[in-house]
Amino acid sequence: MNLILEFLLLVGVIIYSYLESLVKLFIPRRRKSVTGQTVLITGAGHGIGRLTAYEFAKQKSRLVLWDINKRGVEETADKCRKLGAVVHVFVVDCSNRAEIYNSVDQVKREVGDVEIVVNNAGAIYPADLLSAKDEEITKTFEVNILGHFWIIKALLPSMLRRNSGHIVTVASVCGHGVIPYLIPYCSSKFAAVGFHRALTAELDTLGKTGIKTSCLCPVFVNTGFTKNPSTRLWPVLEPEEVARSLINGILTNKKMIFVPSYINISLILEKKSRRSVERSHWHAR
């Protein structure tokens, strides 16, 4: 039964992918300009954050790069400057609320208002629940979700005054589905997806439609944080592909950015198949 469901899921995903490609081919979405806009990217010293900085540098945005790793973020900045961007570097621990608030104040003094923020910094500690260390669980939530609260609380007032800006939450497909041995990580990413959705709804209620929101939800990305990442049905992505999808999603004001894009329909079909199995088990009782 499970094999049949998985096969039907695969067929559905393939059909959706082809249809989506055809729509994009004939009806391309309008892209906005971010030239000259100030973009703050956390976790910019490595992986998706670094490559996203490169993409914004190509768009001639003004970059504010944060990372806890001084050497890594300076390497990112050097490449961005070679691409023609103006870059400001800050060494920031995104698990530390006081450091975040102080750094935002410094950015406002030295650079000005931030127009786009990409909350990308992340932490992951693969382990079964009983083996997970308390301090690692705490760090996961401090970086993956609590840091988002502190950063947005500090940056949002100026966006509200202007009714302009773009808030990007980097989450994961693990914010929509669960994977064993990643309970703290999955839980933090569910929280990040919830943060994005709730913030989007609140801005809409306030009538601040000029402030856009996007949430990036890729499958596993080969960033080096985990050794030999693998999943049964989902591919392992290279960070270059994810960064390209992210910048395209931001430039087209896409609210939920799944990478690969068919993961959206895959998750819907998977939930439906799981519910049908649960109902059949319930009736069998």
Side-chain angles (χ1 to χ4, degrees), residues 160-172:
L160 290 172
R161 285 195 299 270
R162 302 189 313 270
N163 189 23
S164 176
H166 202 136
I167 298 168
V168 182
T169 302
V170 175
S172 166

Side-chain angles (χ1 to χ4, degrees), residues 35-269:
T35 300
Q37 293 195 9
T38 301
V39 183
L40 190 157
I41 304 172
T42 69
H46 180 77
I48 296 171
R50 169 176 285 181
L51 292 162
T52 301
Y54 295 167
E55 293 295 331
F56 274 109
K58 295 172 188 175
Q59 299 292 325
K60 306 306 178 188
S61 301
R62 182 167 56 165
L63 298 177
V64 177
L65 305 181
W66 284 15
D67 202 282
I68 196 171
N69 184 328
K70 186 174 188 293
R71 179 177 178 181
V73 73
E74 287 181 345
E75 288 175 354
T76 303
D78 287 343
K79 176 66 179 291
C80 290
R81 291 186 182 108
K82 290 177 181 176
L83 290 170
V86 174
V87 187
H88 304 267
V89 172
F90 297 82
V91 177
V92 185
D93 179 357
C94 287
S95 70
N96 187 311
R97 180 176 54 186
E99 197 167 319
I100 287 172
Y101 285 158
N102 290 335
S103 297
V104 169
D105 287 342
Q106 187 179 356
V107 169
K108 290 178 179 178
R109 290 193 307 270
E110 298 180 6
V111 184
D113 288 337
V114 171
E115 292 154 291
I116 301 173
V117 56
V118 181
N119 276 318
N120 166 75
I124 182 171
Y125 302 95
D128 64 89
L129 181 59
L130 296 181
S131 299
K133 298 177 181 178
D134 291 357
E135 57 270 25
E136 292 176 345
I137 295 173
T138 300
K139 180 69 73 173
T140 298
F141 279 86
E142 286 175 338
V143 177
N144 292 0
I145 181 59
L146 290 177
H148 293 215
F149 277 87
W150 317 141
I151 292 168
I152 299 309
K153 281 191 71 177
L155 295 176
L156 188 57
S158 65
M159 292 185 180
L160 290 172
R161 285 195 299 270
R162 302 189 313 270
N163 189 23
S164 176
H166 202 136
I167 298 168
V168 182
T169 302
V170 175
S172 166
V173 73
C174 292
H176 300 269
V178 296
I179 295 176
Y181 309 113
L182 287 174
I183 292 177
Y185 181 78
C186 290
S187 301
S188 70
K189 292 303 182 179
F190 264 88
V193 171
F195 176 85
H196 158 75
R197 287 176 171 165
L199 178 62
T200 301
E202 186 166 302
L203 291 170
D204 185 61
T205 301
L206 292 171
K208 299 298 183 178
T209 55
I211 303 174
K212 308 303 180 183
T213 60
S214 297
C215 184
L216 175 69
C217 295
V219 297
F220 280 120
V221 184
N222 186 23
T223 58
F225 282 126
T226 56
K227 295 181 179 179
N228 302 317
S230 63
T231 58
R232 186 174 180 184
L233 288 176
W234 301 332
V236 176
L237 305 172
E238 293 302 320
E240 291 84 358
E241 178 184 355
V242 178
R244 285 194 299 270
S245 296
L246 176 57
I247 193 69
N248 286 333
I250 293 170
L251 295 181
T252 56
N253 293 325
K254 192 172 184 179
K255 290 195 181 301
M256 192 65 70
I257 307 166
F258 287 99
V259 190
S261 57
Y262 64 72
I263 290 298
N264 184 23
I265 190 67
S266 172
L267 289 167
I268 294 172
L269 293 172

